[in-house]
Amino acid sequence: MNSAKVSVMADTLSAIASGVRLPREQPALYLGLCADDLAMPPARCGLAGVDRVEIRRSDARRVTVHRTDGVATLELGLADARLSQHHARLTRSGTSWSFDDLGSKNGSWIKNTRIKTRQLADRDVIIVGHTALVFRARGGGAPTITGAPTAPAAGLQTMSPVLEAHFAELARAARRAITVEIHGETGAGKELIARAVHALSERPGAFVAVNCGAIASSLLEGELFGHRRGAFTGAAVERAGLIRSADHGTLFLDEIAELPLAAQAALLRVLQEKELTPVGSDRAVPVDLRVVTATHQDLDEAVAAGRFRADLRARLLGFRVELPPLRDRPEDLSLLVPELLRRASAPDAAGATTALLADSLAALYAYDWPLNIRELERALATAAAVARDRIELSHLPPALRTMLGDDPEVDEATLSAQDRELRGRLAEAIARHRGVLADVARELGKDRTQIRRWMKRLGLRRETVVSDPSER
């Protein structure tokens, strides 16, 4: 993962910690995606014992800590050519942290707003240069890591030390013959967790996933329990059924809350007796199953409402995994985006898309991802299919483009005299060419990407200088 680009010197950070295990409630600063190089490894800098963070341009990534006059300063150097030599600073005041841009040339941004100073809130994502920084008020964990922590199985990678600890507990539970129940929103990656449980269990049988809400009620019994030939009209051949297909393996019951009551009773018998009777047969067949369930609903509420059997609920109780939605774990975009783009690359392509435009980077972090990882996967697959070397904002779905729009907000007081002069020349050129950026770029001797970058940095809106919006 481009390890040659990364230089981490964190011995002094560990010294600050004085060998004490840091509580996970400590704040942290995460180095997220770099638009110019998506393969750049992520990093987590715990801020326990740190008073100040200095963010600057460097020839390679460097994390060092020094203490001067009782003030512990973390120096964060980033190999990002669009950062200023002294770009920004984070300062601790009690338990709060604030961010200050130090008059950088290209500015610091949250969503589509250029910021000068800001009190930081949990999950704030700041774009400095072409790099995303994620601030977490809690969950800092160990002082410094670079690259993804070692995961016990595929699907269990995370930058969050809280979730990492939970996954470590899951890995220990997976090696025991206990039920695992996964709770999380649709698309949050519940099946990935179930597959990881199966892999860690080392059971010799197959992993069989069943979407309990996707099978028609009239077919459910035959699909789950199998049937003998001639058991009903259309049963031309014998079928083992999904449950028996998972014998000596793992049966993943997704959306278990949507299983009809009649099927719940039959499933309960299978779990209690460790055998099933196919439709049309009078002979029970033994089965050895590891059961993993998933739902986005509250099963206890379903029991209280009479939609779910209490005895089956009791049988399914086991190790509980709470999988947070993607919007609550922005630090994991640095792991997910490169991997999903790698999967999306065509088999005959030279490689996966490895770069984004800055606007695309900001959009990925600004969006709430209501459909979670599944939505991210589809957005990136579509973008990779139409992009050439870089994913542009126009390649992303409309919902993401709307998060930023075309109208950056810039406090003109933050602009230098040089920037104000450039802003005036650019506005005149846009007005003269009636908003046609290709002509503006030709006049100024720059490419269109640079013109758009200037417009964003300088807070210049085309509608402020073009009278007829249709001509833009």
Side-chain angles (χ1 to χ4, degrees):
M1 274 197 189
N2 294 357
S3 57
K5 296 184 179 181
V6 182
S7 173
V8 177
M9 295 172 286
D11 292 342
T12 48
L13 245 177
S14 298
I16 288 176
S18 302
V20 178
R21 184 176 180 181
L22 298 175
R24 300 188 192 117
E25 290 73 20
Q26 293 293 338
L29 186 67
Y30 290 81
L31 277 64
L33 293 169
C34 175
D36 299 325
D37 184 4
L38 298 181
M40 179 66 74
R44 179 179 73 221
C45 299
L47 300 180
V50 173
D51 301 301
R52 186 168 59 197
V53 179
E54 299 285 348
I55 302 168
R56 63 181 72 236
R57 186 178 69 245
S58 178
D59 59 342
R61 182 186 295 173
R62 303 181 189 280
V63 181
T64 61
V65 174
H66 59 81
R67 185 183 292 274
T68 304
D69 297 330
V71 176
T73 301
L74 187 152
E75 300 275 356
L76 178 57
L78 300 175
D80 185 332
R82 291 173 177 82
L83 261 64
S84 296
Q85 187 60 42
H86 298 281
H87 195 101
R89 174 183 297 138
L90 274 68
T91 307
R92 181 176 62 83
S93 177
T95 59
S96 300
W97 283 83
S98 60
F99 177 92
D100 291 284
D101 185 280
L102 302 179
S104 66
K105 180 179 179 181
N106 292 317
S108 304
W109 302 79
I110 290 183
K111 293 187 178 179
N112 208 29
T113 302
R114 185 171 182 171
I115 59 171
K116 177 66 176 175
T117 184
R118 179 185 177 100
Q119 190 79 14
L120 291 177
D122 188 37
R123 297 196 296 273
D124 268 348
V125 179
I126 308 160
I127 307 297
V128 293
H130 280 185
T131 303
L133 302 176
V134 182
F135 175 77
R136 295 307 307 259
R138 295 172 300 279
T144 299
I145 64 161
T146 296
T150 302
L156 300 184
Q157 273 197 325
T158 180
M159 291 299 294
S160 164
V162 176
L163 195 54
E164 181 187 3
H166 192 39
F167 284 164
E169 293 173 348
L170 171 64
R172 292 192 292 272
R175 296 182 175 92
R176 303 292 184 91
I178 60 173
T179 301
V180 173
E181 45 180 323
I182 308 169
H183 292 255
E185 293 182 3
T186 299
K190 297 189 289 293
E191 184 168 339
L192 291 175
I193 304 300
R195 290 184 179 276
V197 170
H198 175 65
L200 291 166
S201 72
E202 299 182 347
R203 293 177 63 84
F207 174 88
V208 178
V210 180
N211 188 331
C212 297
I215 304 175
S217 298
S218 59
L219 302 176
L220 188 62
E221 192 174 2
E223 289 290 326
L224 288 179
F225 305 104
H227 58 75
R228 292 191 61 188
R229 178 184 177 192
F232 50 83
T233 302
V237 296
E238 182 174 335
R239 289 195 60 180
L242 294 169
I243 294 178
R244 209 181 345 163
S245 297
D247 190 27
H248 292 93
T250 300
L251 179 68
F252 174 48
L253 299 171
D254 196 10
E255 300 302 345
I256 183 68
E258 298 181 24
L259 194 66
L261 285 169
Q264 291 178 30
L267 176 62
L268 177 62
R269 178 172 177 80
V270 172
L271 299 180
Q272 287 177 335
E273 306 299 330
K274 301 187 186 318
E275 62 182 23
L276 62 81
T277 303
V279 176
S281 174
D282 56 4
R283 179 177 300 176
V285 179
V287 287
D288 176 10
L289 300 172
R290 169 65 174 280
V291 176
V292 178
T293 66
T295 182
H296 68 279
Q297 300 184 39
D298 188 319
L299 283 183
D300 295 325
E301 288 185 2
V303 170
R307 300 191 309 272
F308 203 84
R309 293 179 62 105
D311 47 5
L312 179 59
R313 172 72 183 116
R315 176 64 64 173
L316 294 176
L317 287 172
F319 184 89
R320 182 183 177 101
V321 179
E322 290 289 350
L323 191 57
L326 184 54
R327 63 181 172 274
D328 287 346
R329 43 191 288 210
E331 61 270 32
D332 280 345
L333 283 176
S334 58
L335 300 176
L336 292 167
V337 170
E339 173 62 18
L340 293 175
L341 283 174
R342 185 191 64 77
R343 294 184 198 173
S345 60
D348 57 347
T353 303
T354 59
L356 305 163
L357 288 184
D359 283 349
S360 304
L361 175 74
L364 290 176
Y365 279 98
Y367 190 54
D368 275 345
W369 301 108
L371 301 181
N372 292 293
I373 297 174
R374 189 175 300 155
E375 184 179 15
L376 174 65
E377 181 179 20
R378 300 317 307 153
L380 292 175
T382 303
V386 297
R388 293 181 179 177
D389 55 343
R390 289 174 177 260
I391 292 177
E392 300 178 12
L393 187 61
S394 61
H395 298 148
L396 296 174
L400 275 75
R401 300 199 296 267
T402 302
M403 294 301 300
L404 297 186
D406 294 322
D407 302 337
E409 299 177 9
V410 175
D411 181 357
E412 291 192 36
T414 66
L415 300 180
S416 66
Q418 182 180 6
D419 278 345
R420 286 195 293 271
E421 188 273 334
L422 174 60
R423 191 178 192 276
R425 285 195 297 116
L426 188 57
E428 290 174 2
I430 293 171
R432 188 160 45 251
H433 293 290
R434 307 186 72 81
V436 180
L437 297 189
D439 293 342
V440 174
R442 192 175 301 112
E443 176 187 328
L444 298 181
K446 300 291 182 180
D447 62 41
R448 190 160 39 181
T449 299
Q450 180 61 56
I451 299 300
R452 290 185 181 276
R453 187 180 297 128
W454 276 346
M455 290 174 66
K456 175 181 177 181
R457 178 165 68 83
L458 301 172
L460 195 60
R461 300 175 173 84
R462 279 189 285 188
E463 64 266 30
T464 64
V465 291
V466 179
S467 58
D468 183 357
S470 67
E471 296 177 345
R472 291 187 268 123

